[in-house]
Amino acid sequence: LILETAVRVLTPKDLQGKRVLVTAGPTWEPFDPVRFITNPSSGKMGFALAVEASRRGAHVDLVTGPTHLPDPPFLSTHRLKTAGEMDSVVRHLAADADVIVMSAAVSDYRPEEQAPQKMKKTDRDLTIRLVRTPDILAGVGAAKKPGQVVVGFAAETENLIENASEKLRKKNLDFIVANDLTQPGSGFRCDTNQVKILDSGGNVEALPCLSKEEVARRILDRIAGLVKKANHE
Amino acid sequence: LILETAVRVLTPKDLQGKRVLVTAGPTWEPFDPVRFITNPSSGKMGFALAVEASRRGAHVDLVTGPTHLPDPPFLSTHRLKTAGEMDSVVRHLAADADVIVMSAAVSDYRPEEQAPQKMKKTDRDLTIRLVRTPDILAGVGAAKKPGQVVVGFAAETENLIENASEKLRKKNLDFIVANDLTQPGSGFRCDTNQVKILDSGGNVEALPCLSKEEVARRILDRIAGLVKKANHE
């Protein structure tokens, strides 16, 4: 905490007084009280983004699915489990946010039905219906206010640039951070990340393999630039 | 490590030279490279059991699904993801084990098919077929050798004693540790545990709410007793 306080004093306050909403981690979509669908997200990238935004003077709300990471100091951490819960909390907080960074790995599908007790296993196979979860990022993009900065993430195993640029356009984002999950030292459960940043002007910046903290600084540098530009318009 | 060395010196060596196999953690059953079915197991109970067995002088193999816990010192940690992988490793190690403690929360079902690339979401719902994973504990129980001690775990949300005693009998276990997941301070993602121990003689011991380390000591006391008895027969 002493070290964190020293780092904060030394960080330029280019987001002073701004409200920043960051989503992080996976979601858990349950079949029953003890079984669920999820993904390998550790929450590290989102937590690093929230900490860096806070160091720059922002009031930060970190909305996170289940992770082993402790609550960071100097910001508000909201913990939840499902995509549906994340959708409600994000809708509530997004209206007042100057910046929204959606780095959570939200489950696209959830089991249609949820058993109230642990299902007993049988010798037979099971068929389960999966239904779509709310598209939280599309909701945020559609409700985007003038001057509000909205950033998304895309994690792909193929056609990275095509998929990410389509998401950027469809979801009305300022920029998107694209992550090739097939690259070593990139993506889930990893302390480093190698990403490409695509902006709404059609530019692509390929960053080298960096620590997630350094990736967070690069992303916040861009965000601070967009916020400054929005304030001058 | 210095503290651990001191604790080891002070622990009675009632499993000296014995081979103990412990399973821990959840398993991940993938749909595609980034989505899977799992459960909330943290691995803490299994890791505590492995550490305690090692302190008592046993040669310990810890076979664990994905967890955030680091490899404990002085024992062999085998990391894997799926129930199928755990089945292979356990079969290989079980033949030479004097004691087998199956505390992993193995997924009962896995998706029948696994997509090689991240599935693109569509607007339509999905139907997936789930098939049974190998019953690792039943395999170990069926192959049980004279004098080998086999211990299982049962985590339930209802009918705890009935379900646990059926499992004890069907899987040919020496005793089973039964965990009521609806109790506060018990079960998954928790540092404490309140369990009942059912043995093959029909006895039930209800332990109070204890740290997972203390639960591990109680379980290893029972195991050491059974090993001693087996050696004298």
Side-chain angles (χ1 to χ4, degrees):
Chain A
L1 201 57
I2 293 169
L3 181 63
E4 176 61 22
T5 305
V7 172
R8 294 174 75 82
V9 167
L10 296 171
T11 305
K13 294 291 170 286
D14 55 7
L15 290 171
Q16 189 69 51
K18 297 293 171 189
R19 297 190 77 93
V20 175
L21 168 60
V22 179
T23 67
T27 62
W28 286 4
E29 310 299 333
F31 297 97
D32 73 14
V34 294
R35 295 177 175 96
F36 53 86
I37 298 178
T38 189
N39 62 66
S41 171
S42 64
K44 281 179 191 163
M45 190 66 242
F47 275 59
L49 287 160
V51 166
E52 181 62 20
S54 173
R55 286 176 180 166
R56 293 177 184 227
H59 172 98
V60 178
D61 286 295
L62 171 61
V63 177
T64 182
T67 124
H68 285 77
L69 303 172
D71 288 6
F74 304 115
L75 55 84
S76 302
T77 304
H78 310 258
R79 293 188 185 263
L80 41 75
K81 286 189 179 167
T82 68
E85 290 162 3
M86 190 174 280
D87 187 54
S88 304
V89 175
V90 167
R91 274 174 196 278
H92 176 69
L93 294 170
D96 292 331
D98 300 294
V99 176
I100 304 172
V101 185
M102 305 284 273
S103 70
V106 179
S107 203
D108 299 325
Y109 291 95
R110 64 173 174 83
E112 186 173 38
E113 291 177 57
Q114 195 183 335
Q117 302 290 346
K118 182 179 175 184
M119 295 183 294
K120 294 309 293 176
K121 59 188 171 191
T122 65
D123 289 333
R124 285 184 305 178
D125 297 344
L126 282 179
T127 300
I128 54 168
R129 272 187 79 73
L130 301 181
V131 298
R132 285 291 305 276
T133 55
D135 189 334
I136 306 175
L137 185 55
V140 164
K144 193 177 162 180
K145 293 178 303 184
Q148 200 175 43
V149 175
V150 180
V151 177
F153 276 68
E156 303 290 345
T157 58
E158 56 182 353
N159 307 325
L160 180 66
I161 298 296
E162 301 87 305
N163 287 331
S165 57
E166 192 188 338
K167 190 170 180 180
L168 171 77
R169 187 179 50 75
K170 274 196 182 166
K171 308 287 171 80
N172 195 21
L173 308 177
D174 291 280
F175 65 89
I176 191 162
V177 182
N179 213 320
D180 183 349
L181 297 177
T182 64
Q183 293 261 357
S186 200
F188 293 133
R189 295 179 90 77
C190 184
D191 290 326
T192 59
N193 214 349
Q194 184 168 5
V195 300
K196 294 186 170 65
I197 298 181
L198 288 69
D199 69 22
S200 53
N203 306 301
V204 180
E205 181 189 11
L207 297 179
C209 188
L210 300 168
S211 70
K212 288 188 174 174
E213 287 68 29
E214 184 57 30
V215 174
R217 280 190 285 274
R218 303 289 183 101
I219 292 170
L220 268 303
D221 283 346
R222 276 193 181 246
I223 288 171
L226 289 169
V227 166
K228 196 176 167 189
K229 205 173 135 210
N231 287 348
H232 289 179
E233 272 169 5
Chain B
L1 201 59
I2 293 168
L3 181 62
E4 176 62 21
T5 305
V7 171
R8 293 175 75 81
V9 169
L10 298 170
T11 305
K13 295 292 171 283
D14 54 8
L15 292 172
Q16 189 70 50
K18 297 294 170 187
R19 297 190 77 92
V20 175
L21 167 60
V22 180
T23 68
T27 62
W28 286 3
E29 309 300 332
F31 296 98
D32 73 15
V34 293
R35 297 177 174 97
F36 52 86
I37 297 178
T38 189
N39 62 64
S41 171
S42 64
K44 281 177 191 164
M45 190 66 242
F47 275 57
L49 287 160
V51 167
E52 180 63 20
S54 173
R55 285 176 180 165
R56 293 177 185 225
H59 172 98
V60 178
D61 286 294
L62 171 61
V63 176
T64 182
T67 123
H68 285 77
L69 303 173
D71 287 8
F74 304 114
L75 54 85
S76 303
T77 304
H78 310 258
R79 293 188 184 264
L80 40 76
K81 286 189 179 167
T82 68
E85 290 162 3
M86 190 174 280
D87 187 53
S88 304
V89 175
V90 167
R91 272 174 197 278
H92 176 69
L93 294 170
D96 292 331
D98 299 295
V99 176
I100 304 172
V101 185
M102 304 284 273
S103 71
V106 179
S107 203
D108 299 325
Y109 291 94
R110 65 173 174 81
E112 185 173 39
E113 290 178 58
Q114 192 182 337
Q117 301 291 345
K118 182 179 173 183
M119 295 182 294
K120 295 308 294 177
K121 59 189 170 191
T122 65
D123 288 333
R124 285 182 307 178
D125 297 344
L126 281 180
T127 300
I128 54 169
R129 272 186 78 73
L130 301 181
V131 298
R132 285 290 305 275
T133 55
D135 189 335
I136 306 174
L137 185 55
V140 164
K144 192 176 163 180
K145 294 180 301 183
Q148 199 176 42
V149 175
V150 180
V151 178
F153 276 68
E156 302 290 344
T157 59
E158 55 182 353
N159 307 326
L160 179 66
I161 297 296
E162 299 88 306
N163 287 331
S165 56
E166 192 187 340
K167 191 170 179 180
L168 171 76
R169 187 179 49 76
K170 272 195 183 168
K171 309 289 170 78
N172 195 20
L173 307 177
D174 290 282
F175 65 89
I176 190 163
V177 182
N179 212 321
D180 182 348
L181 297 176
T182 64
Q183 293 262 357
S186 200
F188 292 134
R189 294 178 91 76
C190 184
D191 290 326
T192 60
N193 214 349
Q194 185 168 4
V195 301
K196 293 186 171 66
I197 299 182
L198 287 71
D199 68 23
S200 53
N203 306 301
V204 180
E205 181 189 11
L207 296 179
C209 188
L210 301 168
S211 71
K212 287 187 174 174
E213 286 70 26
E214 183 57 31
V215 174
R217 278 191 286 274
R218 304 288 184 102
I219 292 170
L220 268 303
D221 282 345
R222 274 191 182 247
I223 289 171
L226 289 170
V227 167
K228 196 175 167 191
K229 204 173 134 211
N231 286 349
H232 288 179
E233 272 169 5

